[in-house]
């Protein structure tokens, strides 16, 4: 029996390594995606171009400007002379933010102990817009704090000193989110899509007929067909974690043993899903469609990878609850970024185990030992 | 003892009756031919026998086992070669054979004695991908794969369809050669001339078995004198003229000639020739001939329609 399993696994590896398209999907997509997400797609505030309209040109305003520009977040595009110039620069897309100082800024500040600064930010992309606004605000406030304390050596009356700590991702790097998210997506893609296609291919070419007419038990056929993908998925996950760690410095704070265990668990769940798809679909094309549209898209959009689940309307939140990736996303983020131990992710782990048994049970029940 | 017993077997696909209450037996060591055109139900019958499809009605026993319940035993002891090439095209000849040997829990070496006559013909292409083999070679490889575990019963579903005439002949020699290994063979084919190579045949059409007998008895069972006709004007005109003839019993093209039967029992050669000459035909040749399987089949098929 073990020999039979070995035979079918060996055969499956021949298929995989002889088909360049399969290889490309297996190893090309993960690398391309991580490089794309890591380098190109970025939510970070870095070297954002801003314009400055300084109508007072005095001590305080220039010190604030210096402070803002001294950070790596902002680069000066130009000093402008009117609000129209700012509008113009925004519309041409030269700048993402602007600082406006009213006339007699220092004087007002001294006399009335209060002064106005206007911060304008481009909110066509709401997340980035909000972030730019907040960063600029922070710089100005920090300046005021430091300045007031050094200049008068007294604290301003009744000032609440707030300090935001960005825990787990202090630099707000988006790769921190993408690397765990990508593992979720890629494993789904490889395990579900590839296995469902590999099984339906045998149905299409007629080889399944010969396999069924052989004395091999259905579970051996299935096991033999999915084992190679389990191994390759694992290689893939390791590759992504390594790329994340060494190129983008995404840490793995939790235990590797736990991480590996959870990855294997998730692989099993999505493999079971792939087998289930192959029992529903008769052709490779249908299997591909189901994998992409019914499974891949919801995973991408609803698992909390791109959009926070809490912000979704209720029906979508319910859907997200039955997407296995949702739970794995929580698990892997917790382990990698928060250093969580099994205690903290026990609920999600148990849910995944439940998913596995349900899917596997249904698939085995649906798997046909005959042709009809 | 009968290796295969089928009683009143029926199978429907929705509205279509693929098999209509058929019964037959296949004896130990026989080459049993299922002869009939596409859609006769040959593949369905083979798949029911090898446990890949469930029958709707009737009793089936293969090696004394029920394909419905004891399919594991049956699958262990049969060899099956489907109608369509079903090996892995991206695997080489050797890899394919090794794979099938493994899943049946054996090795090429152990089965070498049984398959050597066939395998030696494809062995020079051991490292070639199965997808790059010619049609005849593919069939030989598929047969090797089906034989790799010394099956007791071998099912061949149209093994010679789409194969060139030389390979067809070779293939039948191989089938004949398997006889000495104590294997019962059930082979289906749409080619009537291959019927003569079987020990017994079942003529099938539209889900029914029209007749079961030895090829010799089938061929001789034609119930009327049979004539082969030819004329200079060609078969088309000749058929048209004969269909208008009041004594016509049946006429159908057969190779380059027409096969004709008459309603009258006596020798009608002279009379027919006279009639056709009057109709304006020339160079008429009329010969009384012995019937073959195809004549019988066509006759049975026509009777079935009426």
């Amino acid at each position: 029996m073990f020999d039979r399993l070995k035979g079918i696994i060996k055969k499956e590896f021949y298929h995989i390594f002889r088909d360049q398209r399969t290889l490309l999907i297996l190893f090309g997509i993960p690398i391309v995606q991580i490089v794309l997400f890591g380098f190109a797609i970025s939510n970070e505030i870095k070297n954002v171009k801003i314009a400055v309209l300084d109508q007072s040109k005095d001590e305080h305003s220039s010190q604030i400007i210096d402070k803002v520009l001294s950070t790596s977040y902002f680069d000066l595009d130009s000093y402008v002379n009117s609000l129209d110039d700012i509008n113009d620069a925004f519309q041409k897309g030269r700048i993402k933010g602007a600082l406006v100082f009213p006339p007699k800024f220092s004087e007002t500040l001294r006399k009335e102990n209060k002064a106005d600064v206007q911060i304008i930010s481009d909110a066509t992309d709401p997340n980035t817009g909000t972030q730019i606004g907040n960063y600029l605000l922070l710089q100005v406030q920090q300046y005021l704090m430091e300045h007031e304390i050094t200049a008068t050596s007294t604290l301003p009356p009744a000032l609440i000193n707030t300090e935001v700590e960005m825990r787990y991702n202090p630099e707000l790097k988006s790769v921190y989110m993408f690397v765990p998210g990508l593992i979720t997506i890629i494993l789904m893609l490889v395990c579900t899509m590839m296995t469902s296609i590999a099984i339906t291919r045998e149905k299409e070419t007629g080889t399944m007929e010969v396999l069924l007419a052989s004395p091999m038990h259905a579970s051996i056929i299935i096991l033999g067909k999915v084992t190679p993908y389990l191994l390759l998925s694992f290689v893939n996950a390791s590759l992504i974690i390594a790329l994340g760690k060494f190129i983008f410095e995404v840490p793995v704070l939790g235990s590797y043993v736990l991480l590996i265990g959870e990855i294997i668990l998730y692989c099993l769940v999505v493999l079971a899903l792939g087998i289930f798809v192959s029992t529903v679909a008769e052709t490779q094309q249908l299997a591909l469609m189901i994998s992409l549209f019914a499974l891949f898209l919801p995973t991408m959009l609803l698992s909390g990878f791109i959009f926070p689940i809490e912000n979704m309307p209720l029906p979508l939140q319910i859907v997200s609850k039955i997407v296995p990736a949702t739970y794995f996303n929580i698990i892997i983020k917790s382990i990698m970024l928060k250093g969580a131990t099994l205690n903290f992710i026990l609920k999600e782990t148990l849910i995944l185990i439940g998913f596995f048994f349900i899917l596997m049970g249904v698939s085995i029940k649906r798997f046909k030992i005959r042709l009809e | 003892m009968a290796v295969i017993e089928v009683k009143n077997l029926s199978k429907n696909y929705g509205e279509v009756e693929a098999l209509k209450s058929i019964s037959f037996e296949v004896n130990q060591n026989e080459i049993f031919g299922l002869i009939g055109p596409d859609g006769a139900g040959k593949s369905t019958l083979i798949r029911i026998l090898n446990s890949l499809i469930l029958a709707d009605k009737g009793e089936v026993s293969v090696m004394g086992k029920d394909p419905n319940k004891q399919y594991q035993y049956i699958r262990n002891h049969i060899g099956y070669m489907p109608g369509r090439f079903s090996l892995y095209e991206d695997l080489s000849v050797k890899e394919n054979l090794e794979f099938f040997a493994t899943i049946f829990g054996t090795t090429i070496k152990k089965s070498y004695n049984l398959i050597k006559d066939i395998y030696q013909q494809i062995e020079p292409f051991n490292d070639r991908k199965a997808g790059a083999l010619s049609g005849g070679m593919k069939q030989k490889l598929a047969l090797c794969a089906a034989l790799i575990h010394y099956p007791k019963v071998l099912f061949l579903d149209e093994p010679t369809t789409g194969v060139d005439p030389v390979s067809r002949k070779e293939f039948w020699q191989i089938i004949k050669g398997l006889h000495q290994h104590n294997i019962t063979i059930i082979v289906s084919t749409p080619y009537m001339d291959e019927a003569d190579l079987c020990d017994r045949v079942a003529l099938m059409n539209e889900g029914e078995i029209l007749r079961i007998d030895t090829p010799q008895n089938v061929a001789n069972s034609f119930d009327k004198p049979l004539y082969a006709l030819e004329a200079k004007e060609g078969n088309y005109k000749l058929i048209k003229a004969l269909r208008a003839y009041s004594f016509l019993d049946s006429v159908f093209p057969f190779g380059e000639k027409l096969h004709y039967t008459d309603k009258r029992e006596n020798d009608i050669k002279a009379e027919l020739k006279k009639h056709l000459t009057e109709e304006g035909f020339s160079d008429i040749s009329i010969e009384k001939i012995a019937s073959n399987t195809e004549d019988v089949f066509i006759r049975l098929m026509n009777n079935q329609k009426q």
Side-chain angles (χ1 to χ4, degrees):
Chain A
M1 190 176 112
F2 189 68
D3 281 340
R4 287 178 182 176
L5 186 60
K6 234 167 63 187
I8 194 162
I9 290 174
K10 192 170 147 198
K11 181 214 69 160
E12 204 57 34
F13 270 118
Y14 282 141
H15 290 320
I16 295 169
F17 287 116
R18 284 180 190 173
D19 185 21
Q20 286 172 348
R21 276 179 304 176
T22 308
L23 277 182
L24 194 71
I25 294 178
L26 275 177
F27 295 106
I29 289 183
I31 294 173
V32 169
Q33 287 220 11
I34 190 148
V35 170
L36 271 183
F37 276 119
F39 285 116
I41 305 166
S42 164
N43 292 341
E44 290 160 35
I45 303 300
K46 206 176 179 187
N47 302 334
V48 174
K49 295 269 185 206
I50 57 166
V52 176
L53 172 56
D54 187 356
Q55 291 161 319
S56 52
K57 299 216 169 63
D58 52 28
E59 184 199 344
H60 281 99
S61 70
S62 42
Q63 277 177 5
I64 292 177
I65 294 168
D66 283 347
K67 174 153 177 64
V68 168
L69 296 179
S70 67
T71 64
S72 68
Y73 304 131
F74 300 105
D75 281 348
L76 181 68
D77 178 70
S78 55
Y79 285 104
V80 292
N81 296 321
S82 70
L83 278 172
D84 287 341
D85 290 345
I86 291 180
N87 286 340
D88 194 51
F90 266 123
Q91 278 177 347
K92 285 185 177 150
R94 289 207 325 263
I95 57 168
K96 290 278 173 200
L99 263 182
V100 182
F101 294 93
K104 298 177 186 161
F105 183 70
S106 297
E107 211 181 304
T108 325
L109 189 66
R110 227 176 7 252
K111 278 186 190 157
E112 299 174 24
N113 221 10
K114 124 178 194 278
D116 298 323
V117 178
Q118 190 186 14
I119 295 169
I120 309 172
S121 122
D122 178 355
T124 44
D125 176 353
N127 286 336
T128 325
T130 318
Q131 261 179 305
I132 292 171
N134 286 341
Y135 271 58
L136 282 170
L137 188 68
L138 195 73
Q139 299 304 320
V140 176
Q141 277 174 346
Q142 270 183 3
Y143 167 78
L144 279 180
M145 297 274 304
E146 289 160 16
H147 175 78
E148 284 304 303
I149 291 163
T150 46
T152 60
S153 59
T154 51
L155 283 171
L159 187 78
I160 295 175
N161 191 2
T162 57
E163 191 176 305
V164 181
E165 184 199 341
M166 296 294 170
R167 186 166 282 189
Y168 306 127
N169 186 1
E171 294 168 62
L172 297 180
K173 282 190 183 169
S174 42
V175 257
Y176 276 45
M177 179 180 113
F178 285 131
V179 167
L182 263 185
I183 294 177
T184 315
I185 299 280
I186 300 268
L187 290 185
M188 174 100 190
L189 193 73
V190 170
C191 293
T192 309
M193 194 172 88
M194 301 305 268
T195 44
S196 63
I197 287 180
I199 296 177
T200 44
R201 189 198 294 136
E202 299 235 13
K203 288 194 203 172
E204 243 178 59
T205 54
T207 45
M208 189 55 97
E209 189 171 350
V210 187
L211 290 187
L212 287 179
S214 79
M216 249 192 318
H217 198 269
S219 56
I220 301 276
I221 300 180
I222 295 182
L223 200 61
K225 286 207 73 84
V226 301
T227 308
Y229 292 99
L230 184 65
L231 293 175
L232 289 173
S233 309
F234 194 70
V235 171
N236 251 327
S238 315
L239 187 73
I240 298 171
I241 291 175
L243 279 176
K245 194 167 166 65
F246 296 114
I247 299 183
F248 301 108
E249 291 163 349
V250 180
V252 179
L253 297 178
S255 102
Y256 276 97
V257 178
L258 182 61
L259 185 63
I260 289 169
E262 295 283 354
I263 287 177
I264 291 175
L265 173 64
Y266 178 65
C267 282
L268 288 174
V269 173
V270 282
L271 279 173
L273 198 58
I275 298 168
F276 176 72
V277 170
S278 74
T279 65
V280 177
E282 285 297 318
T283 61
Q284 293 183 64
Q285 209 175 7
L286 187 59
L288 183 73
M289 296 291 253
I290 295 178
S291 304
L292 280 184
F293 294 109
L295 301 174
F296 184 64
L297 278 183
T299 303
M300 190 104 172
L301 300 175
L302 301 178
S303 68
F305 172 41
I306 296 184
F307 307 116
I309 295 171
E310 305 80 54
N311 296 356
M312 292 175 194
L314 190 64
L316 288 185
Q317 284 198 28
I318 293 170
V319 175
S320 80
K321 288 256 188 300
I322 56 166
V323 175
T326 307
Y327 302 98
F328 184 65
N329 232 340
I330 298 172
I331 292 174
I332 192 166
K333 271 188 193 165
S334 306
I335 298 177
M336 285 180 72
L337 305 180
K338 298 185 190 171
T341 56
L342 185 57
N343 274 338
F344 296 98
I345 48 174
L346 195 60
K347 187 183 111 197
E348 285 78 12
T349 308
L350 288 176
I351 292 175
L352 282 186
I353 292 174
F355 267 122
F356 172 71
F357 281 110
I358 293 170
L359 281 169
M360 215 51 208
V362 175
S363 304
I364 286 179
K365 219 170 163 173
R366 285 189 56 98
F367 190 84
K368 294 166 195 149
I369 54 158
R370 294 196 162 82
L371 281 179
E372 23 172 33
Chain B
M1 190 204 96
V3 175
I4 292 174
E5 282 174 87
V6 174
K7 264 189 216 136
N8 305 323
L9 169 66
S10 295
K11 174 75 191 173
N12 297 340
Y13 292 113
E15 294 283 290
V16 184
E17 290 178 276
L19 292 173
K20 302 171 192 168
S21 190
I22 61 168
S23 306
F24 66 95
E25 286 184 2
V26 178
N27 300 320
Q28 178 73 43
N29 251 355
E30 228 180 357
I31 299 181
F32 189 83
L34 300 169
I35 319 280
D38 290 350
K42 305 186 298 286
S43 298
T44 304
L45 177 56
I46 288 183
R47 283 172 173 169
I48 288 175
L49 294 178
N50 66 21
S51 83
L52 284 178
I53 290 183
L54 290 178
D56 290 342
K57 259 185 262 156
E59 287 162 41
V60 180
S61 146
V62 178
M63 295 171 281
K65 311 281 175 190
D66 179 359
N68 188 358
K69 299 189 188 90
Q70 290 147 307
Y71 62 90
Q72 276 297 349
Y73 178 87
I74 292 177
R75 290 177 185 186
N76 255 312
H77 294 94
I78 56 152
Y80 172 44
M81 188 176 148
R84 150 177 176 223
F85 181 68
S86 302
L87 301 185
Y88 297 97
E89 306 222 341
D90 54 340
L91 262 55
S92 72
V93 168
K94 189 153 179 248
E95 286 162 352
N96 262 305
L97 273 186
E98 273 171 354
F99 172 67
F100 283 100
T102 326
I103 64 172
F104 282 100
T106 179
T107 58
I108 297 180
K109 222 174 163 184
K110 277 189 203 161
S111 315
Y112 197 76
N113 192 30
L114 177 63
I115 60 169
K116 70 163 184 262
D117 292 338
I118 320 162
Y119 187 39
Q120 273 163 2
Q121 297 179 37
I122 49 173
E123 216 169 0
F125 310 102
N126 240 341
D127 296 321
R128 191 180 286 189
K129 300 269 190 302
L133 293 175
S134 70
M137 290 289 178
K138 276 184 182 170
Q139 294 307 79
K140 282 172 195 163
L141 174 59
L143 184 60
C144 278
L147 285 171
I148 200 94
H149 56 295
Y150 273 97
K152 290 184 177 141
V153 182
L154 179 63
F155 294 98
L156 305 172
D157 193 0
E158 300 202 6
T160 53
T161 300
V163 174
D164 66 274
V166 178
S167 301
R168 256 174 75 186
K169 216 168 171 184
E170 282 176 4
F171 203 86
W172 271 99
Q173 271 165 5
I174 293 170
I175 296 176
K176 286 277 187 194
L178 289 173
H179 233 205
Q180 52 174 320
H181 294 282
N182 229 3
I183 298 173
T184 308
I185 299 171
I186 288 87
V187 55
S188 76
T189 176
Y191 301 114
M192 300 290 159
D193 55 328
E194 291 181 352
D196 300 338
L197 303 164
C198 304
D199 294 328
R200 282 198 310 144
V201 292
L203 301 186
M204 289 186 74
N205 191 46
E206 291 179 355
E208 289 182 84
I209 291 182
L210 306 177
R211 196 187 172 95
I212 303 176
D213 215 327
T214 62
Q216 200 56 42
N217 287 347
V218 168
N220 293 338
S221 69
F222 207 75
D223 51 358
K224 292 223 163 203
L226 183 70
Y227 301 92
L229 264 62
E230 213 178 358
K232 195 183 157 197
E233 281 72 15
N235 287 344
Y236 179 69
K237 279 187 180 165
L238 200 53
I239 283 189
K240 260 176 99 176
L242 286 167
R243 291 224 166 115
Y245 189 45
S246 53
F247 295 110
L248 167 95
D249 179 60
S250 74
V251 63
F252 49 87
F254 198 103
E256 292 181 342
K257 302 188 173 181
L258 296 183
H259 280 190
Y260 172 83
T261 55
D262 200 273
K263 279 182 182 156
R264 296 159 296 183
E265 292 294 328
N266 55 323
D267 195 350
I268 47 95
K269 268 203 275 191
E271 247 176 278
L272 184 61
K273 191 162 186 170
K274 194 174 146 234
H275 170 75
L276 288 175
T277 319
E278 281 166 10
E279 292 281 322
F281 289 91
S282 53
D283 289 348
I284 303 162
S285 109
I286 302 177
E287 254 179 288
K288 192 166 178 188
I289 53 162
S291 58
N292 64 21
T293 315
E294 189 164 350
D295 295 311
V296 175
F297 189 86
I298 291 172
R299 187 149 189 93
L300 289 172
M301 218 165 74
N302 288 337
N303 291 345
Q304 185 191 23
K305 271 178 202 154
Q306 291 153 17

